[in-house]
Amino acid sequence: MPNATAIINLDIEGPKISRHLYGHFAEHLGRCIYGGFWVGEDSPIPNEGGIRLDVVEALRALNIPNLRWPGGCFADEYHWKDGIGPRDQRPRMVNTHWGNVEENNHFGTHEFMALCELLGAEPYISGNVGSGTVQEMSEWVEYLTREGDSPMVRLRKANGREEPWRVKFWGIGNETWGCGGNMRAEYSADLARQYATYCRDHGDNKLYRIASGASDADYKWTETLMQQINCFGCEATPRTFFQGISVHYYTLAGPWEAKGSATDFDTDDYYRTMVSARKIDRILTGHSTVMDCYDPGRKVGLVLDEWGTWWDVEPGTNPGFLFQQNTLRDALVASTHFDIFHKHAERLYMANIAQTVNVLQAMVLTDGDALVLTPTYHVFEMNKGHQDAASLAVHLRSDDARRAVGDAQLDTVSASASVKDGTVLISLSNLDAEEPADVTLDLRGGSLGEVTARILTADRLGAHNTADTPGAVAPRTFDGLKATDQGLALTLPPHSFLTVQAPLA
Ligand code: AHR
């Protein structure tokens, strides 16, 4: 049986794991907003002001730190003024990116801000650069965040909201290299500077501006942005134009043209998926290395504001709606991503899984009034103690927890650890499809009090939850931990995710 030793120094705290690494993404795409978050006030499904309460309740248990909206590709054809005022008078449009369906704009700015309040999440608004104007974006910031009296403040008040909202995260375009305008990096960087200039800080509302960044390993794009980040001529009050730059990376088992089924896959597909998931480590390292050259003090945040699995849509569903099931395989993609995110805590400030409800690697799936929690949901829940915790470096040693997958080598044990308020949380994944792994937790520099552990696994990798079998993949108590002279020992079953929690003694 493969074995691995994880050396963890309990007394050496590393960089803080930003809670925003557990961020989310909700686009006007398929049934994410309509039917997912939003059912309307007249729906028989219990709602508050039109927002589905079962979805809110499920997501509140994840402590969602931020929610990105309204896209994605949709953001670059969204005109925010169409989504305010009486709903029956709001203009309609065609959502050309996603299914060519009509958008009635019933879910707009006020509805989104109400959703964030219900979730206890910070809003992350993605502004339109592709087909919008500087004035339109500037006025949206004013509408949301300005106090006192001004044209946009009067408009907001006329729509029933006296006080400004607080909005920190502001995206300047999305995928400007593709659906957001098919731009060159140089042009996109210039536009980002221009738009950022007019996205003002009103009063004490300070924006965190996020420039539309690279896809995958396009380090040249990141370099082009970083070269343009400083405001020359602002020497009196030195500042950068954007506080963060984004990157997108999706996990696939093969090429875009042959993504494969979410549920019906074989072991080879599974291992290729895990190699693809692990690639995020190299990609984050690449972008961080470029950023270090221009920003050695690591003040500018890397924002992975789209990540997750992308499979073929479920048979019989609209191909433009990106509705996919979610199995134990997806859960392990998430758990290994989080281990890698924690390792990059010093530069990686935010990450947003795509997407929260009914689209791509979702937390919850709805069907009429039914709601199902996915295996990925449980990883977010089991890992939530890492939010804003101090990372603890994990030195993983193994001679044999490794598999050849084509030309690649897949390390099959993945781990990360943190400490917050005197409580240690250790996350462990065994990515091997068949073999258990003997794991030693070599704990140094301290010891633990009463230890509890939970495990997420199932008899097969394709296991998933449905309305008829909602608990097919759900966390269970794990009682296989043994105290040793070194710390703890356990056997990690194949394809499993486990968390160990304990107070420092
Ligand atoms: O998440 C789905 C789509 O993927 C987003 O709209 C876009 O930004 C990306 O290509």
Side-chain angles (χ1 to χ4, degrees), residues 25 27 29 72-73 98 174-175 248 250 306 310 354-355 360:
F25 174 31
E27 180 165 11
L29 193 180
C73 295
W98 305 120
N174 169 74
E175 296 192 351
H248 290 177
Y250 284 96
E306 288 186 29
W310 196 318
Q355 301 190 6
L360 297 177

Side-chain angles (χ1 to χ4, degrees), residues 20 45 77 109 131 171 179-180 219 236 316 332 402 442 446 457 485 501:
H20 294 294
I45 296 173
E77 59 182 358
T109 299
S131 71
C179 67
Y219 306 126
L332 294 171
R402 193 165 299 116
D442 182 345
T457 189
D485 291 346
Q501 189 166 319

Side-chain angles (χ1 to χ4, degrees), residues 1 332 412 429-439 455-458 476 478 490-498:
M1 182 187 318
L332 294 171
T412 50
S429 299
N430 181 7
L431 306 183
D432 201 296
E434 289 124 21
E435 293 276 343
D438 268 339
V439 176
I455 187 164
L456 186 73
T457 189
R476 286 178 284 113
F478 179 79
L490 66 145
T491 300
L492 207 49
H495 51 77
S496 66
F497 171 60
L498 185 131

Side-chain angles (χ1 to χ4, degrees), residues 266-326:
D266 61 23
T267 312
D268 289 343
D269 296 327
Y270 166 75
Y271 280 125
R272 281 199 305 275
T273 306
M274 290 303 139
V275 169
S276 170
R278 286 278 212 176
K279 209 173 144 197
I280 188 64
D281 193 6
R282 230 180 323 136
I283 287 175
L284 294 176
T285 303
H287 291 290
S288 302
T289 306
V290 172
M291 292 173 81
D292 283 350
C293 299
Y294 297 88
D295 173 37
R298 299 195 169 165
K299 294 207 166 55
V300 178
L302 184 58
V303 173
L304 179 67
D305 54 12
E306 288 186 29
W307 69 274
T309 56
W310 196 318
W311 312 123
D312 291 343
V313 298
E314 288 303 306
T317 64
N318 187 327
F321 281 13
L322 309 187
F323 175 68
Q324 64 189 40
Q325 248 298 354
N326 191 299

Side-chain angles (χ1 to χ4, degrees), residues 98-177:
W98 305 120
N100 259 312
V101 292
E102 198 172 89
E103 161 70 53
N104 64 17
N105 277 308
H106 282 194
F107 189 90
T109 299
H110 291 249
E111 291 78 11
F112 173 65
M113 297 306 289
L115 170 62
C116 288
E117 275 164 19
L118 286 173
L119 292 173
E122 286 191 61
Y124 169 9
I125 290 191
S126 189
N128 180 347
V129 170
S131 71
T133 64
V134 177
Q135 179 181 359
E136 182 184 16
M137 196 186 289
S138 174
E139 287 182 342
W140 201 3
V141 177
E142 179 186 330
Y143 184 89
L144 281 156
T145 63
R146 194 172 171 87
E147 271 185 288
D149 189 37
S150 81
M152 289 304 115
V153 172
R154 286 195 286 281
L155 185 58
R156 185 186 72 225
K157 289 182 177 174
N159 288 325
R161 174 81 188 191
E162 273 299 308
E163 294 304 314
W165 289 281
R166 307 232 20 130
V167 178
K168 178 173 177 188
F169 302 117
W170 199 273
I172 299 174
N174 169 74
E175 296 192 351
T176 47
W177 42 263

